[in-house]
Amino acid sequence: MTTAVTAQRLAIALLAALALAACSGQESSHAPAEGEAQATKSSSAGLPDGRVAIGEQLANAKGKATGQSCIDCHGPDGNAPIDSTYPKLGGQYADYLAHALQQYRKEERQHALMTPQAAGLSDQDIADLAAFFASRPGQLRDLHGVH
């Protein structure tokens, strides 16, 4: 794949993520009090508030469909995928992650592992997983400096 095609695909993905973030209505001015669970609201996905701690538990749980957990394929913080074609999830927008999981669940987005893995997820599960991975340190980068 040429550098130009890769840069174009990255630009499209970035624009989609920015559009989702702009529509999400997320407020970042509230810092959770000590002991308060941080929740990430995913309004554009139409989901309940995500619970980071529950999302971490779900990310570590083996799925019935494949016997794999999220971290088995994407790494503990979502930043160490076992295959270069698997995305890094850490630091990604919660709305983007939620929409992707909803599409896998509805079979509108196909992947041999993700489609069956997402099939049994509830809306709350999706919100919790999205909140967890969005709360992780990110290794994602924008197109600044890409020529």
Side-chain angles (χ1 to χ4, degrees):
M1 185 177 317
T2 67
T3 303
V5 171
T6 301
Q8 183 180 19
R9 287 183 177 176
L10 287 171
I12 291 168
L14 179 62
L15 287 173
L18 289 173
L20 287 172
C23 295
S24 74
Q26 291 182 356
E27 297 287 333
S28 60
S29 61
H30 171 71
E34 187 176 334
E36 180 182 343
Q38 181 179 353
T40 303
K41 191 167 187 170
S42 186
S43 62
S44 76
L47 298 175
D49 287 346
R51 303 164 298 179
V52 173
I54 303 296
E56 182 175 15
Q57 292 172 0
L58 290 170
N60 284 283
K62 302 288 186 186
K64 293 175 186 171
T66 66
Q68 301 295 313
S69 71
C70 301
I71 66 163
D72 288 340
C73 295
H74 296 281
D77 283 334
N79 290 312
I82 61 170
D83 184 281
S84 64
T85 63
Y86 291 13
K88 291 185 177 185
L89 305 178
Q92 182 59 271
Y93 292 106
D95 275 355
Y96 176 81
L97 295 169
H99 281 283
L101 286 170
Q102 287 175 320
Q103 289 176 325
Y104 283 124
R105 182 177 64 184
K106 294 180 199 173
E107 298 183 10
E108 294 172 353
R109 191 171 183 172
Q110 295 288 323
H111 183 270
L113 294 173
M114 285 303 303
T115 303
Q117 197 74 339
L121 295 176
S122 69
D123 283 353
Q124 186 66 63
D125 293 340
I126 290 173
D128 294 343
L129 285 165
F132 169 68
F133 283 111
S135 75
R136 307 294 30 156
Q139 293 181 3
L140 302 173
R141 61 186 180 93
D142 62 19
L143 298 175
H144 186 270
V146 175
H147 299 11

